Amino acid sequence: MEGSNMASAGNRKLMLIGGGGHALVVAEAVQAAGVQPAGFYDDSPEAVLGQRLGVPYLGPLASVSLRDEDLYIVTLGDIALRRRIQQSLPYDLAATIIHAEAFVAPSATLGTGIFVAPKAMIHSFAAIDDHCIINSGAIIEHECAVGENSHIAPGAVLGGGVRVGAHTLIGMGARVLPGVRIGAGCVIGAGAVVTRDVAGDSTVVGVPARPRV
C-alpha cells in the first residue's frame, strides 16, 4: 500500500490500530488513493476517526484480530504505546503508506509499517526502519538512517548523514545538523537545533539544543 499502489491491494482489508488525530491523517491518505479502511481499534469507542470519517469501530486495542489476508498500520501517536502494540502484531501484515504528495528517492530504503505524510521528502540513500512516522513536510536528507518506531514530526529537518535511534521523537520544526548522532529513546523538542550528538534516553530543547532541566 505504497503511494498510488494503495488502490491495488485487491481484497485485502486495511485495519487502523488507533483512532485519534494521527489516524485521521492516515485514513484520508488511503481514501484519496481509493482504499476505504475496513475499521479501527482504539480504547475509546468515541474516537475521532469514527466520528469524523465514519470508519467502523472494531474494539479496544487489546482485542485486535487480524486474518492472514488483512493488513494493518499502527496509527497511534504515542511512541511508547506504539512500541507495545507493534510487539503483539504480525510483522508480515504491516502496510507502508506513502502519501501521493510525498517524495521518496528511488535509492532510499523503507521498512514496513511506515507512514510518509504529504510534502515529506526522503532523499538519496536514506534508510527508514519499520513503523516510523515521517510526518507532514518533514525532510530526511541524503544518507540519513532513522531507527524503528521513530517519529519525525511536521516540518522537522534531518541534515545529511544524520543517525536517529529507535523510538525517538524529533519534534515539530526541529533541525538536526549533518552527521549528528541521536540515540534511542530520545525526545528532541519542537524548534530545537541539534548541533552535536545526543546520548540515548535524553531530552534536549532550545537553540542550540541542550538537556532539559
Side-chain angles (χ1 to χ4, degrees), residues 22 25-26 29 97-104 114-122 132-138 151-152 154:
H22 180 58
V25 176
V26 177
I97 296 172
I98 302 171
H99 193 279
E101 295 185 8
F103 169 78
V104 179
I114 295 166
F115 177 64
V116 185
K119 307 301 183 183
M121 305 181 77
I122 301 174
C132 286
I133 301 171
I134 311 300
N135 222 321
S136 306
H151 180 183
I152 313 302

Side-chain angles (χ1 to χ4, degrees), residues 1 7 19-20 22 32 37 44 46 54-56 73 76 86 89-90 94 99 115 127 130 144 146 153 160 178 206 213:
M1 287 196 173
H22 180 58
S44 172
E46 304 301 320
V55 178
I73 186 166
L76 299 158
Q86 289 157 15
L89 296 173
H99 193 279
F115 177 64
D130 302 332
C144 287
V146 179
V213 295

